[in-house]
Amino acid sequence: MLDQDTFVQKVDEYAQVLYRTARSMLCRQEDCEDALQEAVAKAWASRGSLRNEAYFRTWMMRIVINECHNIQRHRKRVLPSGDIEGALEAARQEPREKEGRILALVDALPEKQRVAAVLHYVEGLPVEEVAKALRVPQSTVRGRLFQARKALKLELTSQKEVPV
Amino acid sequence: MKLSELQNAYPALPQSTRQRMLQAARSASGQRGKARGSLRKGAVIALALLMALMGAAYAAARLGIIEYLIGRQEPTQELSRYAQKLRMRGEADGIAVTVTGAVYDGNELALSYEVENLSPENLAMLRIHSVTLGGQTADPIFAVMGHDGWIPSAFGMQELSFSRNPVQGGMKCKVLSQPLNGQQEVVIRVAVQRPNRPLVVVDESLLEPLEAIEDEVQRAERKAMLDGISACGVPIADGGHQDPQWWHDRGYGVLDRSGDFYWPEIQFEEGMSEADHDAMMEEARQLWSQEVHMNETAEMMLRFFIDADKGLENRKEYAFLGEGRQTGEATLLDCILRLKQFTMTPLSTRLAFDMIPLENTQEAAQALRGTYGWLDLRDADSQELAWADMEYAASNGDLHQDEQGQWLVQWDWTLPGAVAFPQEIHITARAGIDEEEKPTAEQERAFATFGEKMRFQTK
């Protein structure tokens, strides 16, 4: 079972990916922090059920995702699900710095696509691990990534730049 | 948009957040009360999420059953009573599949299997066509073929593939029927598919030298990925042509680092609706059936029998402890609670009950939804139950009016399996499903009565 030092060390090691997981589901910074803090407490409380430390990251991501769902449910947060095209267009038109526009575009994606895209494209997690964390088939993750890629006009290998 | 632009634009972890996480980790592991005490009110309520499976581990969950069946993990006492060891082998087109174990609990069916490529120099992929139990459809919820290596696959397909030889894996299916009894036949139809053109992995991120990856974990993962690709015998395009279209135009089946096929024929549009997406997925399936990249070279049918009673006999059923044991009903402060089902197996837990308001109005039923909904399951020692899965199913809490005009609230939870089945289970309520504020004094009284009455014991 994880001892205290190892636990703290692993939380620190994966803090970035855990934060981005939360950030992809909750827009408000304070909600992200609440989710992460609570997830950390729950992870410690249930560390006995983590039978293989190699799975710590996926296991912890899953706890964070559940915690984000809790907060979403509590907040009755309305997720962009209807006029995605309109939201994307609005994000493009907003007068802000390029990075801000890109972030607005990502935030305009449906949550399922956004979470998959952030974990795979931003954090570089393999599809298999994203699928495990989200508890969906790998093919579903690929479908979401494909949609997100198209929506963002994301180029993975070509050097051609598409203005955002 | 370039990938690097996306990566640069997405917010990095603020230092203050990192510090708060570390503080939480230290407090939780050393002085747990302090971490809880510092939570904002909203988070404290969220913490009490009904049946949130705090004691669950994903790895133990999704893989737990499978890991046991394939012999990697010691079974729990409960699981060992359910599991059936099998040795059913099928072979087609140089691929051997052996089903090694099964668990059936009346709702779900878990199977483990071993796959061997008898001519490992020839890459092959497997695709599950269908699974039935006793002639009833069993929908795969998930299927895995190992979990630590690179596997080539195809976008949008529910296929399995393998890069190790032999590899072990498993699947879990939802059986779409009432619980079955006696000896029941399982029929699995699996297709063998082989590439009909040379494959190549085009992904410039794989060209980064391993030594250049500072993070130890990421470096290990990348090495495992490269080893997997190598084991499959699929070359990685190095330098020069990193445009998948270039390779595609020259007759290659192009894969990315995740083993995802490049499909230029499928064009998703911005803002595409779910329906349009489904239509596009169907188009992808048709393209797949046209065997653009893979040919279906054989189909294998595995047929064997399992003892459906083995699971059902060991399924734990719970009934009220005390006055409601015979009637299945409990009188609460504001309603009659009628228990419909409370069962536990290693694969799933089912809790269903109706709440009938004392005053027969829609408003009274609605008020019940506002009072109850966030529940905790604990054993007689007040310890939260340990689940074999991280996933939880939220209650529906549907308002319903029956044929006699009686308003009621229907609750029906399907939860993961429990690690152990306690003799006694106590359920407490914390808040209604839409509640944001602290419970009122009246609700607190209702919770107290609920906690007193909602005590269950195995039948």
Side-chain angles (χ1 to χ4, degrees):
Chain A
M1 188 183 293
L2 286 172
D3 60 31
Q4 182 182 4
D5 289 344
T6 308
F7 179 70
V8 174
Q9 182 188 342
K10 284 191 173 292
V11 168
D12 192 18
E13 186 177 350
Y14 297 120
Q16 172 86 294
V17 67
L18 297 175
Y19 170 72
R20 282 178 160 165
T21 302
R23 175 62 181 78
S24 67
M25 298 179 70
L26 305 168
C27 290
R28 294 170 51 181
Q29 174 66 15
E30 61 177 7
D31 285 346
C32 291
E33 294 198 0
D34 280 347
L36 291 165
Q37 183 172 343
E38 194 51 40
V40 167
K42 286 183 178 176
W44 174 259
S46 60
R47 68 195 184 285
S49 59
L50 177 63
R51 299 182 191 181
N52 186 340
E53 285 184 26
Y55 296 118
F56 182 88
R57 183 170 73 179
T58 312
W59 174 74
M60 190 73 215
M61 281 167 55
R62 186 70 213 160
I63 296 175
V64 168
I65 289 169
N66 274 351
E67 211 45 52
C68 291
H69 283 149
N70 293 352
I71 289 181
Q72 283 176 345
R73 191 173 306 164
H74 184 71
R75 297 263 183 271
K76 298 184 200 170
R77 182 164 173 264
V78 178
L79 301 172
S81 57
D83 183 14
I84 305 304
E85 193 170 358
L88 286 164
E89 189 53 38
R92 283 199 183 83
Q93 299 301 328
E94 283 187 39
R96 56 172 100 184
E97 294 300 314
K98 188 172 185 178
E99 288 191 354
R101 289 204 307 275
I102 292 174
L103 184 57
L105 280 172
V106 176
D107 284 343
L109 290 174
E111 182 190 279
K112 290 176 179 175
Q113 293 176 29
R114 186 170 62 244
V115 176
V118 168
L119 294 180
H120 184 64
Y121 294 130
V122 179
E123 280 300 316
L125 267 57
V127 168
E128 185 179 16
E129 186 172 356
V130 178
K132 283 178 182 174
L134 299 179
R135 198 172 162 72
V136 296
Q138 290 183 42
S139 54
T140 302
V141 173
R142 292 192 182 98
R144 292 175 187 175
L145 291 174
F146 207 174
Q147 275 200 310
R149 204 158 69 207
K150 294 295 178 186
L152 297 174
K153 296 181 178 173
L154 184 62
E155 297 190 359
L156 301 183
T157 53
S158 169
Q159 296 302 306
K160 189 175 67 176
E161 184 171 353
V162 177
V164 293
Chain B
M1 184 193 303
K2 285 183 184 175
L3 179 59
S4 58
E5 291 175 332
L6 171 63
Q7 290 167 335
N8 291 334
Y10 210 76
L13 172 70
Q15 190 59 22
S16 59
T17 307
R18 175 174 172 269
Q19 289 302 331
R20 193 173 166 189
M21 291 173 72
L22 291 178
Q23 181 59 35
R26 293 190 187 102
S27 298
S29 55
Q31 300 170 325
R32 193 158 185 272
K34 285 188 180 176
R36 297 261 164 150
S38 65
L39 291 174
R40 289 180 22 223
K41 181 180 161 194
V44 173
I45 293 173
L47 163 71
L49 171 70
L50 82 159
M51 303 182 179
L53 307 176
M54 298 186 205
Y58 180 79
R62 173 171 161 180
L63 298 175
I65 300 289
I66 307 301
E67 294 263 302
Y68 158 63
L69 287 172
I70 62 182
R72 284 186 189 160
Q73 200 174 83
E74 284 299 310
T76 63
Q77 190 180 0
E78 308 296 351
L79 184 55
S80 61
R81 285 204 283 262
Y82 280 73
Q84 300 174 51
K85 295 283 185 185
L86 300 166
R87 203 72 194 167
M88 177 53 59
R89 188 174 188 275
E91 190 179 320
D93 189 30
I95 302 295
V97 178
T98 306
V99 179
T100 54
V103 176
Y104 171 65
D105 74 345
N107 295 318
E108 296 183 353
L109 171 69
L111 297 168
S112 60
Y113 38 78
E114 181 179 284
V115 177
E116 185 175 11
N117 188 347
L118 302 174
S119 55
E121 66 280 11
N122 299 320
L123 182 67
M125 300 168 79
L126 295 186
R127 189 174 174 195
I128 298 172
H129 273 177
S130 65
V131 182
T132 61
L133 172 65
Q136 307 294 318
T137 300
D139 267 355
I141 302 168
F142 69 80
V144 290
M145 185 71 81
H147 50 85
D148 55 358
W150 185 83
I151 52 171
S153 57
F155 165 70
M157 300 297 134
Q158 294 283 357
E159 83 294 346
L160 293 172
S161 52
F162 51 94
S163 57
R164 303 288 193 271
N165 198 30
V167 289
Q168 294 168 317
M171 73 171 92
K172 194 172 169 185
C173 307
K174 181 85 178 168
V175 182
L176 306 178
S177 74
Q178 293 299 310
L180 301 168
N181 297 96
Q183 292 291 314
Q184 294 290 344
E185 187 180 34
V186 178
V187 180
I188 306 173
R189 289 176 55 235
V190 180
V192 178
Q193 299 182 321
R194 294 188 184 275
N196 59 13
R197 54 177 70 186
L199 300 179
V200 63
V201 177
V202 181
D203 195 321
E204 61 187 344
S205 69
L206 294 177
L207 302 180
E208 182 183 16
L210 277 177
E211 314 81 72
I213 302 174
E214 291 182 5
D215 184 275
E216 192 178 333
V217 175
Q218 286 184 10
R219 191 165 58 246
E221 287 175 350
R222 179 64 56 81
K223 184 174 185 313
M225 183 181 287
L226 292 170
D227 288 347
I229 295 172
S230 173
C232 284
V234 181
I236 299 172
D238 54 346
H241 299 288
Q242 287 298 308
D243 180 357
Q245 187 65 42
W246 188 91
W247 290 95
H248 178 81
D249 291 344
R250 282 153 184 78
Y252 283 83
V254 182
L255 302 163
D256 67 13
R257 69 178 190 173
S258 297
D260 189 355
F261 268 117
Y262 174 66
W263 290 94
E265 301 88 346
I266 303 169
Q267 295 297 326
F268 284 90
E269 302 296 336
E270 273 185 27
M272 183 180 272
S273 67
E274 289 290 328
D276 288 342
H277 176 254
D278 290 346
M280 191 60 78
M281 293 293 284
E282 181 55 35
E283 189 174 332
R285 289 187 190 95
Q286 288 174 8
L287 275 170
W288 183 264
S289 66
Q290 290 165 17
E291 302 184 336
V292 174
H293 293 298
M294 310 285 286
N295 288 332
E296 185 170 313
T297 56
E299 184 181 277
M300 185 186 317
M301 186 179 290
L302 292 156
R303 308 171 75 111
F304 53 92
F305 284 85
I306 63 166
D307 179 3
D309 293 335
K310 190 178 175 75
L312 294 176
E313 282 169 3
N314 288 299
R315 186 160 75 162
K316 291 283 185 197
E317 289 195 45
Y318 289 83
F320 279 112
L321 182 65
E323 61 182 77
R325 192 165 185 84
Q326 299 302 323
T327 62
E329 290 187 355
T331 303
L332 305 184
L333 211 59
D334 45 11
C335 66
I336 304 292
L337 187 146
R338 186 174 296 151
L339 183 67
K340 293 154 80 175
Q341 184 179 357
F342 188 5
T343 54
M344 280 195 169
T345 78
L347 296 180
S348 62
T349 299
R350 184 85 185 275
L351 173 62
F353 57 79
D354 290 343
M355 282 183 154
I356 302 152
L358 299 181
E359 181 187 347
N360 185 23
T361 63
Q362 183 175 358
E363 291 72 25
Q366 182 71 37
L368 291 173
R369 292 182 81 246
T371 299
Y372 303 99
W374 293 45
L375 310 179
D376 286 325
L377 271 70
R378 296 172 187 273
D379 64 19
D381 297 323
S382 296
Q383 296 297 309
E384 288 170 9
L385 298 195
W387 305 96
D389 198 332
M390 280 304 296
E391 200 63 31
Y392 58 87
S395 61
N396 43 18
D398 286 340
L399 289 185
H400 179 72
Q401 192 173 27
D402 67 17
E403 292 175 354
Q404 286 75 43
Q406 175 65 54
W407 282 98
L408 47 90
V409 188
Q410 295 178 318
W411 302 94
D412 191 348
W413 283 275
T414 300
L415 299 152
V419 173
F421 306 153
Q423 286 295 310
E424 207 171 302
I425 294 177
H426 299 175
I427 304 179
T428 54
R430 301 280 189 91
I433 56 176
D434 296 325
E435 284 299 308
E436 293 189 3
E437 301 302 325
K438 185 180 177 184
T440 62
E442 188 177 353
Q443 286 174 329
E444 293 284 11
R445 283 196 298 276
F447 294 159
T449 307
F450 186 92
E452 289 167 12
K453 300 290 181 77
M454 293 292 279
R455 297 185 172 208
F456 300 88
Q457 194 176 41
T458 50
K459 281 185 177 175

